[in-house]
């Protein structure tokens, strides 16, 4: 936009240049011309701003003064003040081409597309063959999702200039959104056929690559991004999109290299920092992963969401203290983060702090009562806390939510055993003998049931079955300390 602003001001400068000299007493014209020359030649926008402010004091109704003032403010990135200056210029000359066009571009660059269209339509009505105004109309309609209208304006540009690469890109990207694959890809090829500068255009290759990614043509997308990178190896978008293609194709090493290049060019590229953290997490290099997640946090005001990833790495390292710290930070950022609550519950449970575990799983359960995985974990922790009736109710509910959740059945059986109902538990287990009879969870619960029966009835029959189950578990799954101790105690009692 700024280049277009300067270009338009050259016409104003020429207008004033028609005078042979500027007399000292003509202060208004002198201030305006001085401001324009400062913009054009010296790039001293602070000085030009002051010159225009002096000119405004001399003549408050001259649109040229406000237009020049607006341009200086735009260059200084004082957007709010620039907007007011454009409005003033429009108020004093609502049909001037420069005012309408430059204000339209300013609005477009600040994502005020509806308002930009209003100004640019006026320009288009005055000059229907003005390429830049037509292009920005196409651009604004594209941003608003009015793809058919955007295509029509972009086609009009190509009728005036068939080499206009940006017009091809708008048409192709509109067709991409309209899911017209063949027309989209043909448009990119037309750009290469008709534009002499196409093979030098980073933007064209990059846009083409993104379209190919959207159509799941990841290999060809890589080729386009590599071309883009050859044209401009300082633009981080090419290696970033290469990394996405490599990740999709499971080419992890190449993805890592592309991500590292992206970060070299743009050290605060949040998604790349996060993706590198994920790659190192998969490699079980948790310390390196944490380093990138910490950088991701610092790269954005929305970085709190990455505390979860750091916590997860610490959890995998069995550094529960650090994991708890970062899961709590996650919950400060997002109090409804269910995964953080569930993982905290698991950590506290593993640490033997079932009261804290219950607090965390209860918080997760309140908002997710229909989630079978959360319900089953709630049941397991209740069982550990010996809250048998509550645990039984949750195991039963988990099974209602997901009939394939056999662990809920085994948990229910364990509750019944603790409630001195081993025969009822065994009746339930019999239904799973054929499908789960050789699974450890099944055999362990079955052993508990027969141990309870043996305890109740002091029967050699139940003791022998218990001993057989101990042998079966160790033969199938290797030594188990609790099973070995149980077998030892049974043998001693037998003697």
């Amino acid at each position: 936009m700024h280049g277009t602003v300067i270009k338009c001001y050259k016409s104003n400068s020429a207008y004033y240049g028609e005078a042979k000299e500027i007399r000292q007493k003509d202060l208004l014209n002198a201030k305006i011309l001085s401001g324009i020359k400062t913009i054009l030649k010296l790039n001293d926008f602070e000085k030009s701003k002051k010159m225009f402010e002096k000119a405004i004091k001399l003549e408050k109704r001259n649109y040229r003064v406000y237009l020049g003032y607006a341009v200086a403010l735009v260059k200084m990135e004082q957007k709010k003040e620039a907007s007011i200056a454009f409005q003033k210029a429009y108020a004093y000359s609502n049909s001037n081409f420069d005012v309408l066009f430059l204000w339209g571009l300013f609005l477009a660059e600040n994502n005020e597309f509806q308002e930009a269209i209003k100004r640019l339509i006026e320009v288009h009505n005055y000059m229907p063959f003005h390429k830049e105004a037509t292009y920005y109309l196409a651009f604004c309609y594209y941003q608003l999702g009015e793809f058919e209208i955007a295509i029509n304006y972009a086609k009009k540009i190509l009728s005036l200039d068939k080499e206009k690469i940006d017009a091809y890109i708008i048409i192709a990207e509109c067709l991409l959104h309209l899911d017209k694959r063949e027309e989209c890809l043909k448009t990119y090829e037309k750009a290469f056929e008709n534009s002499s500068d196409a093979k030098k255009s980073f933007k064209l290759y990059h846009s083409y690559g993104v379209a190919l990614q959207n159509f799941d043509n990841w290999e060809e997308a890589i080729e386009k991004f590599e071309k883009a990178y050859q044209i401009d190896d300082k633009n981080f978008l090419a290696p970033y999109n290469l990394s996405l293609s490599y990740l999709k194709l499971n080419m992890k090493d190449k993805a890592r290299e592309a991500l590292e290049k992206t970060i070299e060019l743009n050290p605060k590229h949040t998604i790349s920092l996060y993706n590198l953290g994920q790659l190192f997490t998969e490699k079980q290099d948790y310390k390196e992963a944490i380093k990138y997640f910490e950088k991701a946090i610092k790269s954005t005001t929305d970085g709190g969401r990455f505390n979860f990833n750091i916590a997860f790495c610490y959890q995998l390292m069995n550094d529960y203290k650090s994991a708890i710290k970062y899961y709590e930070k996650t919950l400060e950022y997002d109090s409804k983060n269910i995964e953080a609550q569930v993982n905290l519950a698991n950590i506290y449970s593993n640490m033997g702090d079932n009261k804290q575990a219950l607090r965390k799983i209860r918080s997760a359960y309140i908002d997710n009562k229909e989630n079978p995985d959360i319900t089953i974990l709630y049941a397991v922790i209740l069982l550990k806390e010996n809250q048998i009736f509550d645990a039984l109710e949750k195991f039963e509910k988990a099974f209602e939510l997901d009939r394939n959740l056999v662990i809920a059945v085994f948990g229910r059986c364990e509750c019944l055993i603790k409630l001195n109902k081993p025969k009822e538990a065994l009746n339930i287990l019999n239904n799973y003998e054929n499908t789960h009879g050789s699974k450890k969870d099944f055999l362990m619960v079955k052993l508990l049931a027969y141990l309870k029966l043996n305890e109740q009835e002091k029967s050699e029959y139940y003791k022998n079955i218990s001993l057989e189950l101990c042998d079966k578990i160790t033969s199938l799954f290797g030594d188990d300390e609790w099973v070995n101790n149980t077998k030892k105690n049974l043998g001693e009692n037998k003697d």
Side-chain angles (χ1 to χ4, degrees), residues 61-62 83 85 98 104 138 172 177 184 188 192 196 200 204 234 321 323 327 356 374 385 393 401 461 474 479:
R61 300 179 66 84
N62 190 312
S83 179
D98 285 352
H177 285 287
C184 171
Y188 286 113
F192 285 106
S196 57
K200 301 174 188 175
L204 181 61
K234 303 300 182 201
K321 183 178 178 182
Y327 280 132
Q356 277 284 19
I374 291 174
E385 268 291 275
E393 184 264 325
L401 292 169
Y461 173 73
T474 54
D479 281 342

Side-chain angles (χ1 to χ4, degrees), residues 56-209:
I56 288 169
K57 289 178 182 178
L58 292 169
E59 177 57 73
K60 294 183 179 180
R61 300 179 66 84
N62 190 312
Y63 81 88
R64 292 188 182 91
V65 178
Y66 286 106
L67 189 56
Y69 189 39
V71 173
L73 291 167
V74 168
K75 294 293 285 186
M76 295 172 70
E77 297 187 359
Q78 296 181 15
K79 294 179 181 180
K80 185 176 179 181
E81 294 84 352
S83 179
I84 294 168
F86 275 121
Q87 291 175 52
K88 290 276 190 181
Y90 182 74
Y92 297 128
S93 182
N94 62 10
S95 62
N96 179 270
F97 171 83
D98 285 352
V99 173
L100 294 169
F101 181 53
L102 293 179
W103 192 16
L105 299 196
F106 171 77
L107 291 166
E109 285 212 342
N110 286 281
N111 301 328
E112 297 181 50
F113 303 116
Q114 293 282 13
E115 289 301 312
I117 285 170
K118 291 177 185 177
R119 304 288 84 83
L120 293 168
I121 285 287
E122 293 182 69
V123 175
H124 195 262
N125 289 339
Y126 287 129
M127 299 180 69
F129 301 108
H130 191 281
K131 287 189 292 185
E132 290 301 315
T134 307
Y135 168 74
Y136 276 97
L137 276 168
F139 173 77
C140 289
Y141 279 115
Y142 168 75
Q143 293 296 331
L144 291 171
E146 298 283 353
F147 301 124
E148 297 288 0
I149 300 174
I151 288 171
N152 288 337
Y153 276 109
K155 284 182 176 179
K156 187 168 185 179
I157 299 165
L158 292 177
S159 71
L160 301 170
D161 179 5
K162 71 174 185 178
E163 292 210 5
K164 182 75 172 175
I165 292 172
D166 285 345
Y168 289 107
I169 291 173
I170 283 184
I171 293 170
E173 292 185 1
C174 285
L175 291 167
L176 170 63
H177 285 287
L178 293 169
D179 202 26
K180 295 183 178 180
R181 176 191 171 97
E182 295 305 319
E183 290 179 62
C184 171
L185 298 181
K186 283 179 182 177
T187 301
Y188 286 113
E189 291 304 320
K190 281 183 184 177
F192 285 106
E193 290 171 14
N194 296 332
S195 177
S196 57
D197 291 330
K199 291 186 178 180
K200 301 174 188 175
S201 172
F202 174 94
K203 190 175 179 181
L204 181 61
Y205 276 113
H206 180 264
S207 177
Y208 199 172

Side-chain angles (χ1 to χ4, degrees), residues 35 38-39 42-53 69 71-73 75-76 78:
T38 304
I39 289 176
L42 303 178
N43 261 5
D44 188 343
F45 304 112
E46 183 65 47
K47 185 176 179 181
S48 70
K49 176 187 171 186
K50 290 177 182 177
M51 300 300 287
F52 283 121
E53 286 171 347
Y69 189 39
V71 173
L73 291 167
K75 294 293 285 186
M76 295 172 70
Q78 296 181 15

Side-chain angles (χ1 to χ4, degrees), residues 264-331:
E264 181 185 321
L265 296 170
N266 185 355
K268 292 187 175 182
H269 193 255
T270 305
I271 298 174
S272 292
L273 291 166
Y274 169 78
N275 285 344
L276 269 170
Q278 289 290 75
L279 282 176
F280 281 109
T281 301
E282 288 177 19
K283 288 181 68 176
Q284 299 182 9
D285 189 345
Y286 302 123
K287 289 183 179 179
E288 194 70 9
I290 288 169
K291 182 178 81 173
Y292 283 107
F293 290 134
E294 286 175 340
K295 287 182 180 181
I297 288 173
K298 293 174 184 175
S299 71
T300 174
T301 55
D302 192 31
R305 57 201 160 115
F306 302 120
N307 283 310
F308 178 89
N309 302 91
I310 295 174
F312 187 61
C313 286
Y314 279 122
Q315 184 178 357
L316 292 172
M317 294 165 69
N318 294 322
D319 183 348
Y320 290 154
K321 183 178 178 182
S322 297
I324 289 169
K325 173 185 171 182
Y326 280 95
Y327 280 132
E328 292 294 355
K329 282 189 174 186
T330 302
L331 292 172

Side-chain angles (χ1 to χ4, degrees), residues 440-451:
K440 188 172 183 179
D441 288 342
F442 175 89
L443 292 169
M444 292 291 274
V445 176
K446 191 173 181 180
L447 173 59
L448 288 173
Y450 278 106
L451 288 171

